[in-house]
Amino acid sequence: MPALKEVDDLNESEAAAELARLAREISKHDKNYYQKDAPKISDAAYDALRQRNTAIEARFPDLVLDNSPSHRVGAKPAQRFGKVSHTVPMLSLDNVFNDEDVREFAARVRRFLRWPEDQPLDYTAEPKIDGLSCGIRYEKGRLVQAATRGDGQTGEDVTANVRTIIDVPENLRGSGWPEVLEVRGEVYIPNAQFAAMNEAQAKAGKPVYANPRNAAAGSLRQLDPNISAARPLRFFAYAWGEVSAPFAETQMQAVEKFTTWGFSTNTHMCLCRNADEMIAAYRKIEAERAALGYDIDGVVYKVDRLDLQERLGFVSRSPRWATAHKFPPQQASTILQAIDIQVGRTGALTPVAKLKPVTVGGVVVSNASLHNADEVKRLDVRIGDTVLIQRAGDVIPQVVKVVDKDRANRGPAFDFPTQCPCDLHTDITRDRDEKTGEPGVIVRCSGEFACPFQRIRHLQHFVSRQAFDIEGLGKKQIEAFYHEEIIREPADIFTLEARGIGEMLKQKEGWGETSVANLFAAINERRHISFERLLIALGIRHVGQTTARILASTYLTWGAFHSAMLAAQDEESEARLRLEAIDGIGAIVAGAIVHYFAEPHNEGLVERLIAHITVKDAQPPAHNSPVSGKTVVFTGKLEKMSRDEAKANAARLGAKIAGSVSKNTDILVAGPGAGSKLKKAIALGIKTLDEDEWLALIGD
Ligand code: IVH
């Protein structure tokens, strides 16, 4: 390969070609890293590619590509992990694919042991978790090391990260554990958490993981344990490596012991007396698969008696006493019939693949996520293409790739709309990162309140649980009422009854006398609303529960807040300075709030709403309480009150409530079931209290 030209020596056309090449190259490596979890170049080489790209872009800002890698922030670790040699190799499993193979496996075991047909020989059957295996070493009951499988002989030292997993005890509970015990099992990410994590990655403009397994691998291999701690990693214990003394007689007993020692073990594990029962267990687990909440790719059968396992031993790299019965893959090909654009509350346009319905892993799939405009471009999906889709956990399937890109007469590349699909056809804009000013991956409709899609989403948010929480008025009803022109803005909810809508509703299918009466009662109940809930309900950008709480406890009354926000439109005003000076607010949030009230449409909407409701004043924070000014995080289950009530109490006493533990946290209140937050707090040396200690502190 010819030496690369120095960036300073490139002319414009060379620079353009080089940027295109780097975009392709970096994207390929991102894919290897994130989607395949199989990086092909060193981290240093990857960083060098990115640096070159940045340097060229800095010299030729006009040439920056839409799909430039600098719009995406990869999260590649900067260095590597330490190596760990496995004292007992970490083996893999042999596979079987059908019922006959299962019978053959059982017959082979009997043959090997010369075990008579009339003598019982039990097996365990359990889900094969689709994660990555990990060995966790305990000495005298204390966690001392954790390692990935690696090549089976040598793995990576992931001790700090494994310590953050809630299913992994730092100290073994109970008794009877051997002095040295290496517990083995699977690290995984549950489907719902995977979906949420990917959504957050996509929003932040970072590459999404292709499936929960890769996400688990990528999360476990973060060099910064704080990042691992923030990832929803879980662990099932199902095997062991080095042990200083035997601790069980059967597989089942061993796993039961793991449970008593504080590990999570799989509740779907069962005992089978013969091949027929193994096959029946497989069918049962297969039927339960979609509802498990985590990905599995088969069922593992193991000879139950450990003395027999010992006798059976290993062939090359897998045990003779176990095998994996694999499920058929959860991928399928189908035709892409259309790409729909969905519009969210804040106007973000999300492309959705409309598919010819196809069964994937027992579920009929007709929609798949395409995440954002950049992803559509990267996949180059076109209407009429045959696409490979996969159910990567949870309910939202993904498009993996186009399988027939080479076919003749392929349709044109998808033109991502430049206007909102709503009937107003408002222009769309690409987000910029508010801090760096770099273009982001999210495109938005600029129509805001004029866009019907956004209005429906706003109304849905308005009645949601954290906001007005109106029972009987859910997403579906809001959408229907919007189209029927019964509810067009929040104030309309409070005039339904007065407008005589009740009579009309009673005639409608699904509505009767009682449900209409209940709905009106639920609405009336919300005519008195807390300042905080009202703030959340307005759906101002960046104003969620925490910010709303801060604002409410600072301004105390809606009137004071409202006039302050109008005054704060003048950037030099005292009101603006005060707003920006509030702990936890800052310039970006302040800007969004002021912008909201500066918009005449919003002002009108709020004014009309306020005419129908009474806003309850907020309580001033008590400044002489032992927790005033302290940042408090709640985690785990509370037994004496709900988490919301506990938070509200703390806020009333002047504490700042945070959602996650950081070095700024003063107190962590941890109930039963506390996991990674507790671990992190301990690691950071933060004061942790249980519920009773907390109540004693606040004198309750
Ligand atoms: S037992 C000696 N049980 O599957 C082998 N493995 O394909 C002990 N796996 O490397 C493994 N769920 O990562 C066992 N319930 C389960 C499992 C399981 C997932 C993984 C494990 C192993 C791979 C083999």
Side-chain angles (χ1 to χ4, degrees):
M1 200 172 117
L4 287 174
K5 251 191 181 176
E6 290 290 329
V7 173
D8 283 344
D9 298 338
L10 295 172
N11 65 32
E12 192 158 341
S13 72
E14 286 167 337
E18 187 62 356
L19 285 177
R21 181 188 75 84
L22 287 165
R24 276 195 310 273
E25 186 84 5
I26 293 170
S27 156
K28 184 178 82 190
H29 292 303
D30 279 345
K31 202 163 151 187
N32 288 336
Y33 183 82
Y34 286 101
Q35 301 185 0
K36 301 188 179 152
D37 194 42
K40 294 225 163 37
I41 57 169
S42 72
D43 295 328
Y46 176 86
D47 290 341
L49 290 176
R50 272 190 171 267
Q51 276 156 10
R52 183 169 170 84
N53 186 70
T54 311
I56 301 175
E57 286 182 343
R59 250 199 88 202
F60 299 96
D62 291 343
L63 298 182
V64 174
L65 296 166
D66 274 357
N67 66 344
S68 161
S70 54
H71 301 167
R72 284 170 289 144
V73 235
K76 288 210 46 142
Q79 324 136 36
R80 302 270 177 204
F81 289 93
K83 296 267 178 268
V84 175
S85 283
H86 297 301
T87 45
V88 176
M90 281 180 95
L91 301 163
S92 63
L93 291 168
D94 219 1
N95 294 319
V96 296
F97 295 95
N98 52 46
D99 296 357
E100 205 182 304
D101 291 350
V102 178
R103 290 182 216 288
E104 172 50 28
F105 164 70
R108 207 166 46 235
V109 167
R110 275 192 188 268
R111 277 201 304 276
F112 185 92
L113 296 169
R114 296 176 174 276
W115 206 256
E117 283 299 326
D118 55 358
Q119 286 289 311
L121 204 170
D122 293 345
Y123 295 86
T124 56
E126 67 196 71
K128 183 169 190 297
I129 316 298
D130 198 6
L132 61 149
S133 46
C134 184
I136 311 171
R137 188 179 171 92
Y138 289 82
E139 287 174 9
K140 297 198 168 72
R142 278 178 167 274
L143 192 163
V144 294
Q145 189 169 61
T148 60
R149 183 179 135 170
D151 62 5
Q153 302 291 337
T154 311
E156 285 177 322
D157 184 338
V158 287
T159 314
N161 296 346
V162 167
R163 280 190 207 277
T164 68
I165 303 178
I166 58 174
D167 310 279
V168 176
E170 181 65 31
N171 293 298
L172 297 179
R173 306 209 188 106
S175 58
W177 20 265
E179 197 165 308
V180 175
L181 168 70
E182 186 202 338
V183 174
R184 290 181 178 174
E186 204 80 355
V187 173
Y188 69 101
I189 289 183
N191 296 148
Q193 281 83 339
F194 166 71
M197 182 179 145
N198 251 1
E199 202 176 297
Q201 288 272 118
K203 261 201 196 133
K206 296 183 184 171
V208 294
Y209 289 104
N211 53 48
R213 205 206 75 83
N214 289 357
S219 301
L220 188 63
R221 293 173 58 238
Q222 291 288 338
L223 270 165
D224 178 355
N226 288 322
I227 300 181
S228 274
R231 300 284 178 87
L233 291 169
R234 303 294 306 260
F235 180 80
F236 276 128
Y238 56 63
W240 55 97
E242 186 181 342
V243 283
S244 53
F247 61 94
E249 289 184 356
T250 64
Q251 184 74 30
M252 200 54 128
Q253 230 179 48
V255 170
E256 279 160 6
K257 291 238 164 121
F258 288 162
T259 317
T260 65
W261 294 339
F263 292 95
S264 293
T265 55
N266 198 286
T267 50
H268 298 267
M269 180 175 182
C270 65
L271 207 61
C272 309
R273 278 171 303 186
N274 51 44
D276 283 342
E277 290 190 5
M278 285 149 79
I279 292 163
Y282 172 89
R283 298 263 184 280
K284 185 159 178 281
I285 292 171
E286 189 180 31
E288 289 161 344
R289 181 182 188 187
L292 289 178
Y294 46 86
D295 276 3
I296 64 171
D297 57 350
V299 172
V300 181
Y301 308 122
K302 297 172 187 167
V303 169
D304 190 39
R305 270 176 54 173
L306 302 185
D307 58 334
L308 299 183
Q309 285 191 5
E310 180 105 8
R311 281 177 54 194
L312 282 153
F314 299 84
V315 235
S316 74
R317 308 202 45 190
S318 15
R320 261 192 217 92
W321 46 265
T323 196
H325 190 171
K326 297 292 277 280
F327 293 135
Q330 276 202 308
Q331 284 192 332
S333 295
T334 186
I335 310 267
L336 177 73
Q337 294 176 320
I339 296 177
D340 267 13
I341 303 291
Q342 288 182 356
V343 185
R345 172 161 64 90
T346 58
L349 267 56
T350 307
V352 175
K354 295 285 165 183
L355 307 163
K356 180 162 180 252
V358 62
T359 308
V360 191
V363 174
V364 178
V365 170
S366 47
N367 293 321
S369 173
L370 286 164
H371 299 294
N372 53 49
D374 289 10
E375 180 74 355
V376 175
K377 215 179 216 174
R378 189 183 70 75
L379 292 165
D380 186 23
V381 277
R382 306 184 187 191
I383 316 279
D385 281 352
T386 299
V387 289
L388 182 68
I389 56 162
Q390 80 182 2
R391 286 213 330 157
D394 206 33
V395 276
I396 309 166
Q398 293 182 320
V399 175
V400 182
K401 62 171 185 184
V402 176
V403 285
D404 59 352
K405 261 193 186 149
D406 299 332
R407 76 180 196 282
N409 305 325
R410 199 167 166 234
F414 179 71
D415 244 346
F416 204 87
T418 51
Q419 295 181 324
C420 181
C422 69
D423 39 13
L424 299 165
H425 307 301
T426 29
D427 284 342
I428 63 167
T429 53
R430 191 176 263 264
D431 267 9
R432 280 190 178 274
D433 185 301
E434 279 163 327
K435 289 200 186 104
T436 64
E438 297 250 0
V441 283
I442 297 178
V443 293
R444 262 176 231 286
C445 163
S446 56
E448 298 197 17
F449 53 83
C451 166
F453 290 125
Q454 291 184 60
R455 290 181 71 162
I456 293 172
R457 301 267 183 268
H458 263 287
L459 285 163
Q460 290 171 333
H461 170 76
F462 186 88
V463 299
S464 68
R465 229 171 58 92
Q466 285 196 337
F468 271 68
D469 191 18
I470 299 177
E471 216 176 307
L473 203 53
K475 286 191 171 168
K476 262 200 210 141
Q477 288 84 4
I478 286 287
E479 188 159 1
F481 288 174
Y482 182 87
H483 291 303
E484 292 158 15
E485 303 190 20
I486 295 173
I487 296 178
R488 283 292 167 128
E489 62 170 58
D492 296 343
I493 296 170
F494 296 95
T495 59
L496 281 176
E497 195 168 3
R499 282 185 285 140
I501 303 293
E503 287 315 306
M504 191 195 109
L505 273 183
K506 284 177 205 165
Q507 314 303 320
K508 282 180 56 143
E509 194 166 320
W511 289 91
E513 195 90 30
T514 330
S515 49
V516 171
N518 287 345
L519 174 64
F520 289 163
I523 292 171
N524 288 336
E525 220 172 277
R526 294 290 183 261
R527 286 182 197 269
H528 281 79
I529 194 86
S530 72
F531 180 8
E532 182 185 316
R533 277 184 183 269
L534 170 63
L535 270 173
I536 298 171
L538 295 180
I540 304 168
R541 273 270 192 107
H542 307 300
V543 181
Q545 208 166 26
T546 308
T547 307
R549 189 163 295 154
I550 294 172
L551 290 170
S553 65
T554 306
Y555 291 93
L556 304 179
T557 70
W558 167 258
F561 169 74
H562 187 229
S563 26
M565 293 311 104
L566 297 179
Q569 281 171 37
D570 172 359
E571 288 194 19
E572 305 298 318
S573 65
E574 179 123 353
R576 181 62 166 259
L577 295 181
R578 181 174 178 219
L579 175 63
E580 291 187 7
I582 300 172
D583 234 359
I585 299 289
I588 291 171
V589 181
I593 303 167
V594 172
H595 173 80
Y596 179 90
F597 290 100
E599 174 57 61
H601 171 86
N602 292 336
E603 255 303 285
L605 183 144
V606 169
E607 199 179 310
R608 290 188 292 278
L609 169 68
I610 294 290
H612 298 285
I613 60 173
T614 311
V615 188
K616 291 185 267 185
D617 294 348
Q619 297 289 321
H623 286 295
N624 51 2
S625 90
V627 295
S628 75
K630 299 261 194 292
T631 300
V632 181
V633 176
F634 288 89
T635 187
K637 208 169 133 55
L638 297 182
E639 276 155 356
K640 308 234 159 78
M641 65 183 76
S642 73
R643 182 99 69 93
D644 281 345
E645 187 183 347
K647 282 188 191 172
N649 278 342
R652 207 169 299 136
L653 291 168
K656 286 177 266 177
I657 315 298
S660 58
V661 173
S662 73
K663 61 179 191 329
N664 299 325
T665 309
D666 295 301
I667 301 172
L668 179 82
V669 183
S676 57
K677 285 184 192 165
L678 178 57
K679 290 201 169 191
K680 189 168 172 193
I682 293 169
L684 290 171
I686 288 160
K687 179 171 182 173
T688 60
L689 302 176
D690 65 20
E691 189 177 6
D692 287 338
E693 289 166 338
W694 163 254
L695 292 176
L697 174 67
I698 62 171
D700 199 63

